[in-house]
Amino acid sequence: ESTLIFGTTLAFTSSHWLLAWIGLEINTIAILPLLAKQYHPRAIEAALKYFIIQITASSTLLFACTLNAWLTGQWAITQDFLPVPGTIAIIALTLKMGLAPLHAWLPEVLQGLDLTVGIIVLTWQKLAPLALLYQMNLNSPELFTALALISTVMGAWGA
């Protein structure tokens, strides 16, 4: 559990994309034993699904940050993102958080978890990607607005 706190804190406090990515990875690795703590096929399946989605999102984020650093020469989180790498990074972070429309994996994972671990996945695991989204310097807020509207509509419709 202290590793969860360390990973989130590292992602929060870093000003370099590589350190933020390492913090997100520490966070992912730290939650996996909690997901599979209850030795049941549904819990193991949930942990495996969570791992595959998080690794996909992490590798996509690393690709976007590397592409942006290659094109601009900067690894700073607050540095301006170019449009294509910025969009890819936002998509990767929203996949990591489970925001609509990239949320289809989240109910599948939550079905195999107990309440305590489910609450950790739904709250704590979203803090670091949300902080990184907040720190990103994007010139156009249209994508954020679209994601907020889609999430609101999907959440209201699902409820």
Side-chain angles (χ1 to χ4, degrees):
E1 294 171 2
S2 62
T3 312
L4 269 173
I5 296 169
F6 174 70
T8 304
T9 306
L10 183 62
F12 272 179
T13 59
S14 62
S15 61
H16 193 275
W17 272 112
L18 193 60
L19 284 176
W21 178 78
I22 290 171
L24 291 172
E25 288 301 304
I26 290 171
N27 227 3
T28 299
I29 298 299
I31 195 74
L32 288 175
L34 292 176
L35 296 176
K37 176 176 66 174
Q38 173 184 352
Y39 191 72
H40 187 272
R42 293 186 77 180
I44 303 301
E45 179 185 357
L48 186 60
K49 286 179 182 178
Y50 186 82
F51 178 74
I52 290 171
I53 291 296
Q54 294 299 313
I55 292 302
T56 302
S58 291
S59 61
T60 306
L61 179 65
L62 186 61
F63 168 72
C65 296
T66 305
L67 180 63
N68 193 60
W70 182 34
L71 295 173
T72 64
Q74 295 291 325
W75 279 93
I77 292 175
T78 56
Q79 180 69 25
D80 286 342
F81 255 89
L82 295 176
V84 172
T87 303
I88 295 171
I90 289 172
I91 289 170
L93 288 170
T94 55
L95 178 62
K96 246 184 161 355
M97 288 183 1
L99 279 179
L102 303 171
H103 69 287
W105 63 271
L106 196 56
E108 295 285 328
V109 168
L110 290 176
Q111 284 178 355
L113 304 178
D114 63 343
L115 182 63
T116 307
V117 179
I119 289 172
I120 292 171
V121 168
L122 289 174
T123 56
W124 188 265
Q125 289 298 100
K126 296 180 184 311
L127 293 177
L130 186 64
L132 292 175
L133 274 174
Y134 182 71
Q135 291 177 20
M136 286 177 67
N137 189 12
L138 295 172
N139 295 330
S140 61
E142 291 87 14
L143 185 59
F144 284 127
T145 305
L147 286 171
L149 287 173
I150 291 170
S151 293
T152 304
V153 168
M154 294 295 289
W157 188 29

